[in-house]
């Protein structure tokens, strides 16, 4: 894992009181939890798990009769929080935004004393051009430091 802190941050690591873990439902994204928990314990910070869900995808699932909200959104992030060791307290939240990267950055604008932790999907070449990179956008636009985990290191 790599922690990226911008050159204008002179506050030091002790200024961060929250570690926000951004997940997307994949096993790779959940792999960052181990490092995020260790960082939160090390700096005595709260742990917050967030997932951004596209409201249009939710509406399509609902129209098809799939109980999307209950199963996918809240179930996944609450399960991740429940699966943490008993001595680790974590809160969780599901965010609704049409663009995952912008949803994370918007959320962080109200959490400036946070460090965001997330995994990359290790896309490259045409896959990266077609799908884009949420992690890349968050690193460049986040008002907070970013802890990145490459899937090969998990």
């Amino acid at each position: 894992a790599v922690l990226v802190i911008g050159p204008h941050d002179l506050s030091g690591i002790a200024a961060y009181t929250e570690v926000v873990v951004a997940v997307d439902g994949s096993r790779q994204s959940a792999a960052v939890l181990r490092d995020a928990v260790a960082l939160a314990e090390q700096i005595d910070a709260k742990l917050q798990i967030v997932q951004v869900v596209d409201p249009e995808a939710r509406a399509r699932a609902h129209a098809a009769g799939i109980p999307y909200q209950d199963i996918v959104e809240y179930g996944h992030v609450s399960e991740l929080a429940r699966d943490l060791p008993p001595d680790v307290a974590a809160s969780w939240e599901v965010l609704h935004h049409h663009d995952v990267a912008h949803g994370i950055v918007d959320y962080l604008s109200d959490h400036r004393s946070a460090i965001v932790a997330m995994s990359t999907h290790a896309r490259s070449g045409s896959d990266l051009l077609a799908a884009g990179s949420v992690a890349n956008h968050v690193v460049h636009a986040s008002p907070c430091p970013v802890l990145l985990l490459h899937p090969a290191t998990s």
Side-chain angles (χ1 to χ4, degrees), residues 3-4 13-14 31 36 51 53 64 72 74 76 78 87 94 96 103 112 115 126-127 141 152:
L3 178 61
V4 180
I13 196 79
Q51 180 173 354
V53 176
V72 176
Y74 300 101
H76 176 68
S78 66
D87 61 329
V94 175
H96 296 95
R112 297 218 177 225
I115 294 173
S126 60
D127 287 343

Side-chain angles (χ1 to χ4, degrees), residues 87-98:
D87 61 329
V88 175
S91 57
W92 55 270
E93 189 167 351
V94 175
L95 312 172
H96 296 95
H97 201 285
H98 68 280

Side-chain angles (χ1 to χ4, degrees), residues 53-73 96:
V53 176
D54 181 346
E56 292 176 13
R58 180 180 179 206
R60 286 191 302 272
H62 182 70
I66 300 169
Y68 189 83
Q69 178 179 4
D70 293 338
I71 294 172
V72 176
E73 293 178 8
H96 296 95

Side-chain angles (χ1 to χ4, degrees), residues 123 126-134:
R123 290 186 186 108
S126 60
D127 287 343
L128 181 59
L129 289 174
S133 171
V134 172

